């Protein structure tokens, strides 16, 4: 999969977080592990993922990286992508990214001026990965 470089704003945001949770899906449901993904150009690398993650990726390459907020009122960074396992190294091509505020118990449906959405793959590629509904006939 051709992975273009990420937007500079997104790269800056990623640099503000300490670690991410990698979420993969397997026969038993979601599997979450804390990771330190390395960003190179437009893709992420995770070395030595565990055996459950490897099994899940082999069966279903759709993954999510979630960088939690550092404060209770901060923003989480969520990146969906397509993972490939090569020589016990996970390569993740990001497709969608969202910087999202943390909801509070007193918050009602509010829009955050600091929230951002990044479409990182062409629409045809997103449709193929099942991340956008098909349109037309």
């Amino acid at each position: 999969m051709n992975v273009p470089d990420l937007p500079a704003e997104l790269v800056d945001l990623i640099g503000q977080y300490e670690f991410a949770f990698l979420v993969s899906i397997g026969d038993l449901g979601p599997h979450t592990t804390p990771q330190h993904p390395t960003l190179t150009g437009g893709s992420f690398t995770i070395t030595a993922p565990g055996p459950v993650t490897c099994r899940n990726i082999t069966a279903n390459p759709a993954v999510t990286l979630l960088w939690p907020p550092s404060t209770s009122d901060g923003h989480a960074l969520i990146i969906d992508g397509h993972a490939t396992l090569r020589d016990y190294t996970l390569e993740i091509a990001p497709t969608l990214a969202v910087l999202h505020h943390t909801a509070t118990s007193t918050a009602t449906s509010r829009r955050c001026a600091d929230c951002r959405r990044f479409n990182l793959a062409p629409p045809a590629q997103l449709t193929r990965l099942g991340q956008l509904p098909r349109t037309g006939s």
Side-chain angles (χ1 to χ4, degrees):
M1 179 180 303
N2 184 20
V3 181
D5 286 347
L6 298 181
E9 178 185 6
L10 182 56
V11 173
D12 289 343
L13 288 169
I14 293 166
Q16 296 175 22
Y17 292 86
E18 186 176 339
F19 71 97
F21 289 101
L22 171 66
V23 182
S24 60
I25 305 294
D27 292 340
L28 300 175
H31 178 69
T32 306
T33 59
Q35 299 288 340
H36 293 277
T38 302
L39 177 63
T40 305
S43 63
F44 295 94
T45 303
I46 294 174
T47 55
V52 173
T53 299
C54 291
R55 275 195 310 273
N56 290 352
I57 297 305
T58 300
N60 180 1
V63 297
T64 297
L65 288 168
L66 166 64
W67 286 265
S70 58
T71 62
S72 62
D73 62 347
H75 287 75
L77 179 60
I78 305 162
I79 297 181
D80 293 330
H82 182 88
T84 305
L85 189 60
R86 299 182 204 286
D87 299 324
Y88 210 55
T89 297
L90 198 58
E91 296 174 7
I92 301 170
T95 55
L96 295 169
V98 176
L99 179 69
H100 200 285
H101 67 275
T102 303
T104 63
S105 59
T106 59
T108 57
S109 171
R110 66 180 173 103
R111 296 204 43 111
C112 176
D114 295 330
C115 292
R116 300 282 184 274
R117 180 179 176 91
F118 302 87
N119 292 315
L120 304 171
Q125 194 173 52
L126 292 174
T127 300
R128 189 172 62 252
L129 294 172
Q131 294 178 331
L132 285 180
R134 295 184 188 271
T135 57
S137 55

